[in-house]
Amino acid sequence: MHEFPITEQIIKIASEKAKENNARSITRITLVVGEQSGFIGESIQMYFDIISKDTLCEGAVLEMENIKAKWYCPDCNIHYARQPFSFACPDCGNDGMPTNIGKEFYVKDIEIETE
Ligand SMILES: [Zn+2]
């Protein structure tokens, strides 16, 4: 459910950028969505299709770059994707620590069409 306001926000940002550039329409919006961002790409897509109607974003392709969450092992100095039910480092077996990798959520790129 909380994807609704964030999708409105994305459309607002994209529309403002399009207006600044005198664009006729927006063709593509690229989002970076981390696995741990708390946002679900499919829900954003669903809301996007509804909210973008009659805006400059209507018909734009919503592209999502998904980022896997990574953990960090200070002993081995490596980042790794953890296995289900385990926090263990694949090299030494000690529990690693969470990082900010995978918490990303932002608009990376907006493609517009001008005439
Ligand atoms: Zn390790």
Side-chain angles (χ1 to χ4, degrees):
M1 274 303 276
H2 65 286
E3 278 85 3
F4 188 87
I6 204 76
T7 308
E8 278 186 313
Q9 197 63 29
I10 292 163
I11 289 171
K12 195 169 152 240
I13 292 167
S15 298
E16 275 168 11
K17 186 170 158 75
K19 278 178 198 149
E20 273 170 29
N21 292 284
N22 297 316
R24 195 160 55 93
S25 65
I26 295 160
T27 50
R28 182 187 300 266
I29 300 170
T30 307
L31 294 180
V32 174
V33 185
E35 190 181 35
Q36 301 277 342
S37 67
F39 295 108
I40 299 165
E42 284 163 24
S43 299
I44 295 170
Q45 180 70 65
M46 187 186 79
Y47 289 127
F48 184 83
D49 292 343
I50 299 165
I51 308 170
S52 66
K53 278 231 175 355
D54 300 321
T55 74
L56 286 169
C57 294
E58 188 173 354
V61 175
L62 197 56
E63 200 170 271
M64 295 188 220
E65 292 182 6
N66 297 300
I67 295 182
K68 286 257 170 230
K70 288 278 170 64
W71 286 61
Y72 175 72
C73 175
D75 297 329
C76 308
N77 193 25
I78 56 163
H79 285 90
Y80 59 95
R82 77 174 181 89
Q83 299 302 310
F85 312 113
S86 164
F87 301 103
C89 165
D91 280 7
C92 67
N94 290 334
D95 281 354
M97 51 178 78
T99 69
N100 285 327
I101 302 171
K103 291 184 180 157
E104 300 83 349
F105 186 81
Y106 57 91
V107 176
K108 186 186 175 192
D109 196 30
I110 298 167
E111 254 179 48
I112 52 173
E113 199 174 53
T114 50
E115 237 178 6

